[in-house]
Amino acid sequence: MPIYEFHCPRCQDEFEILVMRSDEKVNCPECDCKKVERLMSGFAHKSGSGGKMVSSNSGCASCSATSCASCH
Ligand SMILES: [Zn+2]
C-alpha cells in the first residue's frame, strides 16, 4: 500500500499517511490544515546531508553518457 509523505505549510510538520486513493483528502494531524503538500516518494530524505541529489551513474552535466570517460 502506498504511504505518502506530507508537509504542512501551516505548522511545518511532516508526516506519513497511508493513502488508499490518490485523490484522498488528507488533513494535517497537528493543526487540521487541509492544504497539506504531498511530497514525492523518495524525493526527500530527512536524514540526508541536505546536499542536492547526484545520480551515481551519470556523467557530467554537459554530456549524456553514463560516464565522462569519452567526453573529456
Ligand atoms: Zn499542520
Side-chain angles (χ1 to χ4, degrees):
M1 291 186 205
I3 297 179
Y4 291 108
E5 207 172 347
F6 292 86
H7 171 256
C8 174
R10 184 187 292 176
C11 68
Q12 304 297 315
D13 190 31
E14 288 189 6
F15 50 94
E16 293 176 346
I17 289 184
L18 184 67
V19 179
M20 300 298 181
R21 289 160 30 203
S22 59
D23 60 345
E24 185 168 316
K25 296 293 183 291
V26 174
N27 290 7
C28 173
E30 293 293 327
C31 69
D32 205 37
C33 175
K34 295 178 177 60
K35 293 184 178 181
V36 295
E37 304 166 355
R38 194 173 81 187
L39 304 179
M40 300 299 288
S41 179
F43 181 75
H45 290 280
K46 280 175 277 189
S47 61
S49 61
K52 63 180 180 180
M53 294 179 68
V54 177
S55 180
S56 60
N57 63 349
S58 67
C60 63
S62 61
C63 71
S64 58
T66 54
S67 78
C68 285
S70 60
C71 75
H72 287 297

